[in-house]
Amino acid sequence: MISLLALLMPLSILAQDIMVQGVVKDQTGESVIGATVMQKGTNNGTVTDFDGKFSLNVSSKATLVFSYIGYVTQEVAVNGKSNMEIVLADDHQVLSEVVVVGYGTMDKKELTSAISHVGEENFLTVSSLDPSMMIQGKVPGVSITNTGAGDPNNQASIQIRGVSSRSAGLGPLIVIDGVPGGNLTNINPNDIASFDILKDGAASAIYGTRGSNGVIVVTTKKGSKDGQAHATYSSQLSWDFINKELDMMNAEDYRKVRLENGDTGVDLGGNVDWLDEVSRTGFTQQHTLTLSGGNDKSNYRVSADYRKAHGIDLRSGREEYGARAAIMHTSKGGLLTFTANIAPRIIYRDQADWGVFKDAIEANPTTPIMDPNDPIRYYNFQGQVVGSNPIERQRLETDHGDTKLLDWDATVKLNILPLFLKNNQGNQTLTTQLMFADHQYDNNNSWFRPSTSTQAINNGREGEANRSYKKESQYVLEWLTNYTGSFGKHHVKGMAGYSYQYSRYSGFNAENKDFPNDGLGPDNLGSGEYAKEEGEVLMGSYKNDSKLIAFLGRVSYDYDGKYLFTASLRHEGSSKFGADNKWGNFPAVSAGWRISSEKFMENMTWIDDLKLRADFGVTGNQDFGSYLSLNTMAGFGYYYYNGKYFQVWGPSKNVNPDLKWEKGKNWNIGIDFTLLNGRVYGSFNYFSRRQQDLLGNYRVSVPPYLHAETFVNVGTMKNTGFELDLNFQAVKTKNFNYDINVIGSTMNNKFVDFSNSEFVGQDYYDVCGTEAPYPYYNLQRIEKGKSLGNFYMWKYAGHNSDGEWLVYDKDGDIIRASQANDGDRQNVGNGMPKFTMSMTHSFRYRNFDLTLFFRGAFFYDIFNIHDFYYGTRNFTGNHLKKAYDKNFAIAPTVNPVVCDYFLERGDYLKLDMATIGYTFYPKNWRFLDRIRLYATGKNLITLTKFSGVDPSTYQVNGLTPGANGSRTYFPSTRQLIVGLQVDF
């Protein structure tokens, strides 16, 4: 018996738990703070303290897993050891980073096309409904512009590698968790794990007719896999403060300068700063609660968020509730994997009236807010250039909308090889999966103006109202099969699939006037008297749909990670296309050469990785109306016959059976590099995109056509440019890190042609027209063989002694502007930035962190539209002070002239964001794992010579970059954000 006990004793000792202590360091010997230490296969774990030390009670046979962001995960067997010193290797090459491509993923080292990956650690801190603002300026070649950041309901425009169309859509395709056609509005920024931007043709061709404007792939966060349950609460408060950029005359200036100079105007007895009165400090609060847990086989993540905001105007507001849930389960033996995502959201909107800011700067500053003769009624602006009281519009009128969003998808994936090879699968995988997704969006909008409004009184109406409703539905079904295989140094991947998408849009609208009372607002349109008048319809409805079907495939091959090749093809049909062009092919091919793996590079130890790549791809654009190729009917008024009105019907347009997608032919050459043991890494790209078969309305002869214009594929445009993404790890020690990121891109554009063999278009057309009181001018010309954004106008030559404008004619002689004609106009500048850049400086000292983000745009012009309208003494509304300073010599009886006098350099460099934060790692707190506090300032400093508003608020995306012909004005803002994140 004693012998038996002696024999069993070592086994019991081996099986007992022991306390393992140790320290985790990096390769420089510095301690790693906050590294995760987990007993493999269990929920037992801890994190390292301020000195990188840890202690954990584990089985003597256990395996410990050590992990931390930026380092290679390491597994170490305990084998009875009670003390450990772990050295984590830097994951400095970032080559194992997973990048999402169309219908799959790849390691970054495998990429042979231009895809930019932005992880959550590199997101900008924003307080916006639009998650795209988190990557504004962070991706070369991607332009994101929000011209009304102080409006909580306004979204940014996104443009990838320049303008790609004349009449079709310009925005990129949004793909969320693999589902195309997503809506960024329905994503809480806290739920996003990464953005992958597919910029070149080879990357986006797999999406066929929706790939020409690029693709933004959003990956949301999924359940944790460490066996533990995690909870996080995030809260954020932000304030928006108006920047007063236009130096308008106040009441004192108006009386002492304008009126005493004898210029037109009247003293109405008030003293009002109208911009102050129509605005306020914007405020936003956001709260998110997240629960996550699970392991490699089954996991979940659920988040719920609440957001409430009001804008810088007096009326706009937004309140929303949303949630997102993701689950994943893998069946026994890994045969089946089920995933599902669901994201509902309800939004209540009070829309801003952007016109109130224009009216505020134009209003006579001596105009009182309330009528002195009737103090309970707002002052009536009838007869002024500002047609209505801007405060009254915000206080009395309502413009409300309710939005309901529901996105959900589910996928089942079958692992095929275990069914046939059992335990001998080798280095191969074969899976097939079926995904279904459903998007349901509802918008219900209403507007009401009460009878007490001075506008209603001036219009002779007893109240006015309208309502509208629209519904969008989209169903997506995709079946994909994926294969991977490794045979020695040969590695192969293949994908084949089928995609089906059906979209349906419907809606209606109705309006009425002259209600018996104001109490019901827009909720009883039938009670209005106006619609009872004979011949007044005041209602409408619509419904349309479209369908996409595609067959797709992709093959990737690499030899020893050194020579890489990828080819793909999408065969796609769309119901939008004409009968003779229902289907199209979208091929792509790319190749890469990892030069650093060649023997002749062995002695170049300062080069860690160097890869040359090139690609070509064909993409399409079918972002236009559903029935433009068909013979549809439309009403052409009413005919009175035999005591009744009959609707007259006829063909609404010319039939075009040849209508098809716009075709993009895209080339890209790039270099990816990692140098100096991972201290420097980045990429460089040159791209060329030739977009042909551009859609547009062209004049045709009548007959044989029924209408004078036809929507056809004619025209060619070309974009080229360089892109740079450079990262430098300047300092990395135990207590201090300093990282620098620089991105930059150039852009060149040419509208090659407006014609083809069948349709001959004009060689140019003028765009961006001005409005009253100075209408009929155009700021830019789009011309064959020249770039978009060209300012085409008279060239300024001075003023004569009578204060009249002088310009140069086509022969270079100076003439009065009143004598100039269209032939004297010329190209005087361009509104498209030739170079854009950003720079991020990231610092960490112990638990403090600081991020400084700069961005800028250079080598472009802006037409100072506010100087044009308000900068001379001719305007009947309020003036800029410079009208009586710099521009005083211009006669008050002379209209301003569209010439390069108002054209200025738009170049700017701004400190766009500064964030400082502190992270607590509580040692002895039972209920908390981590607390982070931070504060962010946005739009802090702008360096520019432009004399108008913030140049970054001018739209540089689209067909008229740098130009705005209207008097629209929305102030830029400076923003303060404070936030809290608690992990428990």
Side-chain angles (χ1 to χ4, degrees), residues 92 608 674-681 727-732 739:
H92 56 256
D608 305 322
T674 305
L675 313 173
L676 304 176
N677 292 321
R679 296 287 293 274
V680 179
Y681 61 94
N727 300 271
F728 177 42
Q729 193 178 81
V731 181
K732 185 175 183 180
D739 298 305

Side-chain angles (χ1 to χ4, degrees), residues 580-651:
D580 298 336
N581 282 304
K582 284 296 184 187
W583 292 84
N585 294 314
F586 303 91
V589 61
S590 60
W593 175 27
R594 179 157 282 106
I595 304 172
S596 55
S597 296
E598 299 291 352
K599 289 186 177 180
F600 60 79
M601 298 289 290
E602 290 179 352
N603 295 326
M604 297 185 181
T605 56
W606 59 279
I607 298 178
D608 305 322
D609 186 73
L610 181 64
K611 180 175 64 179
L612 176 67
R613 49 183 167 74
D615 64 73
F616 171 78
V618 177
T619 56
N621 187 350
Q622 57 104 50
D623 189 5
F624 53 86
S626 295
Y627 305 137
L628 294 179
S629 69
L630 303 179
N631 185 10
T632 56
M633 307 291 284
F636 289 87
Y638 293 85
Y639 180 73
Y640 187 77
Y641 175 72
N642 200 21
K644 293 182 179 181
Y645 283 97
F646 292 89
Q647 174 80 65
V648 179
W649 289 89

Side-chain angles (χ1 to χ4, degrees), residues 799-810:
H799 294 88
N800 62 20
S801 58
D802 294 326
E804 295 179 298
W805 292 87
L806 301 177
V807 297
Y808 291 99
D809 67 10
K810 59 185 177 182

